Amino acid sequence: MTPPHDSDRSHLEGLIARIVESYHAHRHTQHLDATFLPSRARTVEVIEVMRRIVFPGFFDDRRLTGDTISYHIGDMLLELRTLLYEQVRAALRYTENQVERGRGDACDHCDEKAKDITEAFLERIPEIRRLLATDVAASFDGDPAASNTDETIFCYPGVDAIFTYRVAHELYNLGVPLVPRMMTEYAHNETGIDIHPGAQIGESFFIDHGTGVVIGETCVIGKRVKLYQGVTLGALSTKGGQAWRGRKRHPTIEDDVTIYANAIILGGETVIGEGCVVNGSVFITRSVPPHHTVGIKEPELTLRSRPRKKVAR
Amino acid sequence: MTPPHDSDRSHLEGLIARIVESYHAHRHTQHLDATFLPSRARTVEVIEVMRRIVFPGFFDDRRLTGDTISYHIGDMLLELRTLLYEQVRAALRYTENQVERGRGDACDHCDEKAKDITEAFLERIPEIRRLLATDVAASFDGDPAASNTDETIFCYPGVDAIFTYRVAHELYNLGVPLVPRMMTEYAHNETGIDIHPGAQIGESFFIDHGTGVVIGETCVIGKRVKLYQGVTLGALSTKGGQAWRGRKRHPTIEDDVTIYANAIILGGETVIGEGCVVNGSVFITRSVPPHHTVGIKEPELTLRSRPRKKVAR
Amino acid sequence: MTPPHDSDRSHLEGLIARIVESYHAHRHTQHLDATFLPSRARTVEVIEVMRRIVFPGFFDDRRLTGDTISYHIGDMLLELRTLLYEQVRAALRYTENQVERGRGDACDHCDEKAKDITEAFLERIPEIRRLLATDVAASFDGDPAASNTDETIFCYPGVDAIFTYRVAHELYNLGVPLVPRMMTEYAHNETGIDIHPGAQIGESFFIDHGTGVVIGETCVIGKRVKLYQGVTLGALSTKGGQAWRGRKRHPTIEDDVTIYANAIILGGETVIGEGCVVNGSVFITRSVPPHHTVGIKEPELTLRSRPRKKVAR
Amino acid sequence: MTPPHDSDRSHLEGLIARIVESYHAHRHTQHLDATFLPSRARTVEVIEVMRRIVFPGFFDDRRLTGDTISYHIGDMLLELRTLLYEQVRAALRYTENQVERGRGDACDHCDEKAKDITEAFLERIPEIRRLLATDVAASFDGDPAASNTDETIFCYPGVDAIFTYRVAHELYNLGVPLVPRMMTEYAHNETGIDIHPGAQIGESFFIDHGTGVVIGETCVIGKRVKLYQGVTLGALSTKGGQAWRGRKRHPTIEDDVTIYANAIILGGETVIGEGCVVNGSVFITRSVPPHHTVGIKEPELTLRSRPRKKVAR
Amino acid sequence: MTPPHDSDRSHLEGLIARIVESYHAHRHTQHLDATFLPSRARTVEVIEVMRRIVFPGFFDDRRLTGDTISYHIGDMLLELRTLLYEQVRAALRYTENQVERGRGDACDHCDEKAKDITEAFLERIPEIRRLLATDVAASFDGDPAASNTDETIFCYPGVDAIFTYRVAHELYNLGVPLVPRMMTEYAHNETGIDIHPGAQIGESFFIDHGTGVVIGETCVIGKRVKLYQGVTLGALSTKGGQAWRGRKRHPTIEDDVTIYANAIILGGETVIGEGCVVNGSVFITRSVPPHHTVGIKEPELTLRSRPRKKVAR
Amino acid sequence: MTPPHDSDRSHLEGLIARIVESYHAHRHTQHLDATFLPSRARTVEVIEVMRRIVFPGFFDDRRLTGDTISYHIGDMLLELRTLLYEQVRAALRYTENQVERGRGDACDHCDEKAKDITEAFLERIPEIRRLLATDVAASFDGDPAASNTDETIFCYPGVDAIFTYRVAHELYNLGVPLVPRMMTEYAHNETGIDIHPGAQIGESFFIDHGTGVVIGETCVIGKRVKLYQGVTLGALSTKGGQAWRGRKRHPTIEDDVTIYANAIILGGETVIGEGCVVNGSVFITRSVPPHHTVGIKEPELTLRSRPRKKVAR
């Protein structure tokens, strides 16, 4: 409980000065005198309210009944509208200020645009529900270990990640900066599944286990596609860096494809044709015609005999 | 701070109606008029109380002494019993209602069964501790970076995931639905290690680093087995989906096997024999006889010279 | 709400006795009558205060201005000093007691050493900021999906993990036990990226997506290196276990190397030369000369035609 | 951080035994092996939800609009119904068990009765609002320091205490045990105003400042009555104790009476007639006819000259 | 856990409609479609930050040292400025909207004025500290039960209430609506001492015990005045209600007066002269010349002999 | 959301300097460079743990049974011992440092003494329970509004205040500085009842309603005494201030006395004899012989007729 040490005030002042100096030296790693970024905590709240609207009764601490559900949903929609509007507005203002630093926070057209985007998003909720219903059905059909669809909604990280992606993707389509990415990073943190909100993914999508899955920004994925843990749908090379911005860098996966664990598929022109199966650990940079199975030749393995070790049991 | 927009009441009513409609259209993605699911927060509490019973003194904020430990453990056991009983009862009632929707919540034999299961689980705690003691010893012996066993209990995600699995596996064996899976998904979320509670795993088990490890429901794993990050012990194909329920779909790993990072071993009839070493990134769908090392032939790699890039430093 | 069951007091007493007994039987899985371990919650606080000192304005709930920032930083430095001193002291005392159990908590030279280490760490903050500025620039240059450097500081798990590593590495260099490892395990839990605090990593380091990355204790990594998700820089074999302690077991990666997803590079004598590119899923245990690309020969893949399945859409 | 002292286990055991013994010796100060009491925390929640239903927009963290208010109120009513039902049921079960210890928790007619009471209470909300509207108007009319009625709803402890009383009084009338008293004790704790839920109080009631006000169980208070801090409307003597149960022990205050600070009015047959004014500090145990002012004769005061003290300023 | 009852949807709808109707009927007890009120939680934060600025080291969880205190105070001042500005602005906007409902939230001159008020308040902090130093000294000098001044700052409700009053009074003088009253009601709730922020109170003021003390809006109190619990300095009659707004309604207490418990002093023209002592329970509505003691004649008491009761001990 | 104003850095610096200056000018209202005070939050924890030990089952969220209660009590005693030891030690160190500022925190005999005091306190718990059992019985016997003793333990502020006093009084007797006062101030804040921990109070003590009760440090109160709200047992005059320290300044109340609301009894030589009844609002500074009733002569009241006001109803 004793103070750590006699504070050498002038020494401390020197250190503070050097740190503050480093704020001037490396300006891109400080955010002083600047507009607020959207709030991470509030963005998570948006996701959690959406979850309870989209899957009513699963994550609530009150029993909900069909008779009275419209009061509950109505109230949550109003809450969602307020929360979402604020985050969208903050993101628009932030972007505006990026372009022209020091404009101050006021931005009337940001506010107007945030209002329109919020309304447009709310309209999409029934469609989001429709898509997720197909995803949930796919998660149950695809996993013999699942007892029923309730279990997949309640426990499966894959369903969690796809839910978050579907919400973030709508906001991405509506032109909201930053917030969609914050949402999918939240899901990435929780599930280990990293889906860029810009990816286009068809209905009945299922990811099993999921840790390590990466789905890039310009991926196009068809219907009834199934992925396992560790699958990467990525860019061939990013050595060009920012020069590649906006171009299709990630593969196209057609309908009814299954991709097993740790497979890596790279490149914007790579197309995995309809009905293909990609085996685990496969590394692909070229297209595969429809209705093929792609795998590693098994004889590649080496088998070397080992001496029997004596183990004390 | 202004309200986002003049609310168009009739418009909002229309939207709410459409959302409520979608609850009728896609019934498997709502949980209205239904029994409560077990609570996620309470299930996590069960795990955390168990952790403090099983590893006393590591995660407590009070110093515990051998002299008086029985008061502390006694009190925590009573707390555990109450918590666990409630979650088990909720899971049994939920499953009962799944079979026969609308039966209401009362279920006398559920309560009786929950009581018996809770008692049986408590009896298993000394055995769980015995098994975990072997796992902790293995984690220290197997990792030169570990300074002592305390460090592995306190910091290692592998020990954390195995602890949770051992607890969930006992409940799985006792026939508890949903709750064991919720427990291992909690560990999956925290550690990136996904062990199905149905897997059978022998003593002295160690997972190093662990992110991306998947161990399927019907795996059988012997003693002194060691896994690295990204290892999958999975099913060959799940195209059959729910038709595969209950059959052995995942491999058998015999005693004293080591499996390096990202290796994938698939299939219910695949057996990795005693004392084998499976190298990293290997993909296996057939059995390996005891005492062999399995690897990828190194010459498979291609080596292509690159121009020296000039880098401004 | 009824009590679970008539408690059989003598039965309960028996169970408690058996559990307490198991504390004597397996002494390495209890921590009774022992010095406190450093606190996990407080160690996380150290990281979070550091984050706000190193990236001012990104994670604060108040707008910070350049004019007055020195008050804020000064106050946070004082808080950091107190927090860090306590954790370092606890770790030193713990280690001291490991050597000689039962010495009690007092340890005057621990306190003195903790004071010196804390001061030395504070001095390093400007340098930590300088290194991170290069990392952040690399993360933006390397990812076409990033809109600006703010986004990478705010959202990228790779930047988060490298930040935590750079803090932990300084404490590792100053000889602090346990705490650096607790820090990087916290980042591992949050991001799925597991960097040992002992690794040596040059400036402008970037990890994209990151889930499943493992970087071992004795790795040496040059400047401008870029890793993707699932990359392992590990030890060849750890069968020797604790006998390998302190020896170089992990590879050396020279400047300007890029390593794609799921590649595995093992061994203390393995050197990936300057300017190399390692393709995804490659498994390497031998050195690669500078300026080469290493990959799997693509023809290794098997392509097998599949019958067209009829799918009801 | 050292443990307080070598624990003398047998000594501690002796102490515990003596404490447990005292649980047997003084049975009315323990509550072991007994039905749960209603929850204090949940009862406070009932009050807080009611507050937001009854005074919408004052205590919410979201802006509410007239257009959409019915969703919000509908949802809060459903929440209130669940919360209140549980507390009422617990109180009925508790009372039932008081009569016949050891009956266990089940009590079907308690559940039925709790349901009826809850419904009946909800029906009374519009009337509670009507009464409170008169109270709020009275609080503004009666206090020149109040700027508007908003301020009295938002800040005045008198309004807070009367609100809580009006809610508790309805439950008291419906025969709910314990819970109404818990509610008014909560208000007592917050405001220093102690109104027994059994008191009968007419509309347009105002208490200014309020600390120390006590209004007994069998008080009858008319319309437009105004009280100041420290006023007691109590029983003449309670030496008879429990023998007085159920009899009118507290005074009747007719319409349009004002009672100033610290006045004490005692006795079940004491009636303060319509339009009276009772001055501060008056002590009354007999009735006062209508339209009189009651006070202490001012000459009763003694005035004694004091020497001028020199004060160092 | 069963739902309380089959919800009769149409019945519920009727009830909701009636409640919403009552929002229209009694418009002054709802706050729909209206500007936000200042936040109670944030106003409490302002008080708590001020407490730590004004009494540094008493309520902090970190040891503060004279050497480095300016960083801490500087940082807290910046936080206070942000917090206070927001609450003052909200109060000004609210008041503006009171006058002209429906103007919306924007109010440029409110923002300007809030900024000026905030700055002016900050300037007053050293003077607030000077006054409180005299109050604290008075609390120690006046109470033989106090061991030192630290104890009175740390434990005495009187010091707590005076501190809050001195802060609120500055804001009252600067013309801030609502917020000062919210502050003193917070202190009233905590201490039972109700001081209107408009009262004028000289230095070295002390209130002992304090529960039930009321000091009205237009009181004028000199230096070195001491009050005991239950003292009222109030208005003679408030029957006129709002007609009395703005006039001096409460007494003047000159320097060096002591007023004992439960004394009531009423009226705007009542002056208690310098150096007077007012005894407990006295009721005064007329002025008292300087240097007198005012009391109740003791013979007023009645003494009636009682029969000796037999008490079973 | 815009920053309040362009910060004038030099202006701010001036203000900070003036505030810091005021810390030097008024040294008794800062606590810099000083030993920690005991923690208020931790002292409240001591009280709350004691409450659950002394009234088991009333305030717990788990059902406790007689069979297993010793584990629960044992564990809580161990927790209490740790908590109390730390607060007592802090208070002793603080007092030590008061005497000799700058001695640093170490104080070996403080630690020793804290240990002895803690043990001595624990021994007193059965006696505290015995006393409280008599108080609880008195609270039920004395209040016709109470349904049973459970209700008084659960709801009555009088029982709450007496419980806290009895705990604090033991610590006061054991010579602990500051902490007992912090405890009774906590109860004062919660209940409005201010009992100095130094007062001596016999068994079967009851305070009804209680707001405004003050019981001074040197009061001596017999058995079966009953007080109502607003009663003061105080000092005659405290003009002498600190000169009165340690002398008997407060009255003696003998066995079986009842004192009604707002009565004030002052002076260290004032004795209210056995079996007396003191009526409400009475002001006494002289002794009363046993077995008398003391009251105000009722004819003192003035009755003045008032014109009938017309009230619009």
Side-chain angles (χ1 to χ4, degrees), chain A residues 3 7 9 21 26 34-35 70 80 95 107 120-122 125 144 151 170 193 202 205 214 218 264 266 294:
Chain A
S7 59
R9 184 182 162 118
E21 220 168 87
H26 313 295
T35 313
S70 56
L80 176 65
T95 306
C107 168
F121 176 81
L122 295 184
I125 294 176
E151 189 180 334
E170 292 295 335
I193 298 170
F205 185 54
V214 173
T218 61
I264 296 182
L266 304 178
V294 196

Side-chain angles (χ1 to χ4, degrees), chain D residues 1-312:
Chain D
M1 278 206 225
T2 41
H5 11 218
D6 300 334
S7 60
D8 176 355
R9 185 181 162 121
S10 70
H11 181 84
L12 185 73
E13 283 188 347
L15 177 57
I16 292 169
R18 273 183 296 133
I19 293 174
V20 171
E21 220 167 88
S22 94
Y23 296 161
H24 292 100
H26 313 295
R27 299 200 62 81
H28 62 293
T29 47
Q30 45 100 320
H31 193 75
L32 305 177
D33 307 296
T35 313
F36 269 123
L37 292 156
S39 154
R40 288 218 269 201
R42 297 301 232 156
T43 299
V44 168
E45 274 182 63
V46 169
I47 283 291
E48 295 308 332
V49 173
M50 266 303 284
R51 198 192 304 277
R52 282 154 61 212
I53 291 172
V54 164
F55 297 128
F58 283 93
F59 304 100
D60 296 270
D61 52 2
R62 244 193 308 152
R63 185 189 296 257
L64 301 178
T65 66
D67 269 0
T68 57
I69 191 67
S70 56
Y71 293 108
H72 185 61
I73 296 308
D75 195 43
M76 295 221 297
L77 265 188
L78 294 168
E79 191 184 343
L80 176 65
R81 188 163 65 170
T82 303
L83 279 169
L84 184 58
Y85 168 72
E86 275 166 17
Q87 293 314 298
V88 171
R89 188 177 61 170
L92 294 175
R93 285 178 175 190
Y94 164 78
T95 306
E96 196 79 2
N97 272 267
Q98 277 299 101
V99 180
E100 198 178 336
R101 276 257 183 172
R103 288 180 75 256
D105 282 332
C107 167
D108 286 350
H109 72 269
C110 293
D111 297 12
E112 199 57 38
K113 197 172 161 192
K115 182 176 145 179
D116 294 346
I117 286 172
T118 303
E119 290 303 340
F121 176 82
L122 295 183
E123 292 301 315
R124 297 289 294 166
I125 294 176
E127 173 64 9
I128 292 173
R129 256 192 64 80
R130 191 193 65 75
L131 284 168
L132 283 168
T134 68
D135 299 329
V136 166
S139 75
F140 173 64
D141 294 343
D143 183 7
S147 311
N148 52 58
T149 51
D150 283 6
E151 187 180 335
T152 68
I153 291 171
F154 199 55
C155 292
Y156 275 41
V159 173
D160 186 2
I162 295 164
F163 154 74
T164 305
Y165 154 77
R166 296 228 182 267
V167 170
H169 182 61
E170 293 295 336
L171 293 171
Y172 179 95
N173 283 348
L174 291 164
V176 180
L178 253 180
V179 171
R181 183 66 185 258
M182 287 162 71
M183 288 175 165
T184 57
E185 274 307 326
Y186 170 59
H188 184 192
N189 179 312
E190 296 293 305
T191 66
I193 298 171
D194 182 356
I195 310 178
H196 195 284
Q200 297 167 46
I201 304 180
E203 64 186 43
S204 300
F205 185 54
F206 177 42
I207 299 174
D208 204 1
H209 309 296
T211 312
V213 164
V214 173
I215 299 176
E217 185 180 17
T218 62
C219 272
V220 177
I221 297 179
K223 297 173 179 174
R224 294 171 300 283
V225 169
K226 186 169 163 185
L227 303 188
Y228 283 80
Q229 66 274 18
V231 166
T232 293
L233 307 178
L236 244 179
S237 155
T238 56
K239 268 291 164 199
Q242 288 288 330
W244 279 88
R245 263 210 113 180
R247 291 162 59 184
K248 185 165 196 310
R249 309 180 301 279
H250 308 96
T252 296
I253 312 295
E254 294 187 348
D255 293 354
D256 300 301
V257 168
T258 296
I259 307 176
Y260 285 101
N262 294 4
I264 296 180
I265 303 172
L266 304 179
E269 297 179 16
T270 305
V271 177
I272 306 299
E274 189 184 338
C276 279
V277 170
V278 179
N279 280 338
S281 290
V282 163
F283 181 90
I284 302 177
T285 60
R286 285 177 295 188
S287 293
V288 179
H291 304 289
H292 280 79
T293 293
V294 197
I296 304 174
K297 274 195 258 172
E298 301 245 350
E300 314 298 332
L301 296 178
T302 59
L303 225 73
R304 206 168 61 242
S305 166
R306 294 168 58 84
R308 266 143 226 263
K309 224 182 12 165
K310 284 218 180 115
V311 183

Side-chain angles (χ1 to χ4, degrees), chain A:
Chain A
M1 278 205 225
T2 40
H5 12 217
D6 299 333
S7 59
D8 177 356
R9 184 182 162 118
S10 70
H11 181 84
L12 185 72
E13 283 187 346
L15 177 57
I16 291 168
R18 273 182 297 132
I19 292 174
V20 171
E21 220 168 87
S22 92
Y23 295 161
H24 292 99
H26 313 295
R27 298 198 63 80
H28 62 294
T29 49
Q30 45 100 323
H31 192 75
L32 304 176
D33 307 295
T35 313
F36 268 122
L37 293 156
S39 154
R40 291 218 266 200
R42 296 302 231 156
T43 299
V44 167
E45 274 183 65
V46 169
I47 284 291
E48 295 307 332
V49 173
M50 265 304 284
R51 198 193 302 278
R52 282 153 63 212
I53 291 173
V54 164
F55 298 127
F58 282 93
F59 303 99
D60 297 85
D61 52 2
R62 245 193 307 153
R63 185 188 294 258
L64 301 178
T65 66
D67 270 359
T68 58
I69 190 67
S70 56
Y71 292 108
H72 185 61
I73 296 308
D75 196 44
M76 294 219 299
L77 265 188
L78 294 168
E79 192 184 344
L80 176 65
R81 186 161 68 170
T82 303
L83 278 169
L84 184 58
Y85 168 72
E86 277 166 17
Q87 293 315 298
V88 170
R89 189 177 58 170
L92 294 174
R93 286 179 175 188
Y94 163 78
T95 306
E96 196 78 3
N97 273 266
Q98 278 298 104
V99 179
E100 198 177 338
R101 275 259 184 172
R103 287 181 75 257
D105 283 332
C107 168
D108 286 351
H109 72 270
C110 293
D111 298 13
E112 200 58 39
K113 197 173 162 194
K115 184 175 143 178
D116 294 346
I117 286 172
T118 303
E119 290 303 339
F121 176 81
L122 295 184
E123 292 300 317
R124 297 289 293 165
I125 294 176
E127 172 64 7
I128 292 173
R129 254 192 66 80
R130 191 192 66 75
L131 284 168
L132 283 167
T134 68
D135 299 329
V136 166
S139 74
F140 173 63
D141 294 343
D143 183 6
S147 311
N148 51 59
T149 52
D150 283 7
E151 189 180 334
T152 68
I153 292 173
F154 200 55
C155 292
Y156 276 40
V159 172
D160 186 1
I162 294 165
F163 154 75
T164 305
Y165 154 77
R166 297 230 180 266
V167 171
H169 182 62
E170 292 295 335
L171 293 171
Y172 179 95
N173 282 348
L174 291 164
V176 180
L178 252 181
V179 171
R181 182 67 185 255
M182 287 162 72
M183 288 176 166
T184 56
E185 274 307 326
Y186 170 58
H188 184 192
N189 180 311
E190 296 293 306
T191 66
I193 298 170
D194 182 356
I195 310 179
H196 195 286
Q200 298 167 46
I201 303 180
E203 64 187 43
S204 300
F205 185 54
F206 176 42
I207 300 173
D208 204 1
H209 308 296
T211 310
V213 164
V214 173
I215 299 175
E217 187 180 16
T218 61
C219 273
V220 177
I221 297 179
K223 297 173 180 175
R224 293 172 301 284
V225 168
K226 188 169 162 185
L227 304 187
Y228 283 80
Q229 65 274 15
V231 165
T232 292
L233 306 178
L236 242 180
S237 155
T238 56
K239 268 290 165 199
Q242 286 288 329
W244 279 88
R245 263 211 112 181
R247 290 161 60 184
K248 185 163 194 315
R249 310 182 299 280
H250 308 97
T252 297
I253 312 295
E254 294 186 348
D255 294 353
D256 300 301
V257 168
T258 297
I259 306 175
Y260 285 101
N262 293 4
I264 296 182
I265 302 172
L266 304 178
E269 296 178 17
T270 306
V271 178
I272 306 299
E274 192 185 337
C276 280
V277 169
V278 179
N279 279 338
S281 290
V282 163
F283 181 91
I284 301 178
T285 59
R286 284 177 295 187
S287 293
V288 178
H291 304 290
H292 280 79
T293 291
V294 196
I296 304 174
K297 274 194 256 169
E298 301 245 350
E300 314 298 333
L301 296 179
T302 59
L303 224 73
R304 204 169 62 244
S305 166
R306 293 167 59 82
R308 267 144 226 262
K309 219 179 19 160
K310 281 218 182 115
V311 183
R313 299 188 193 184

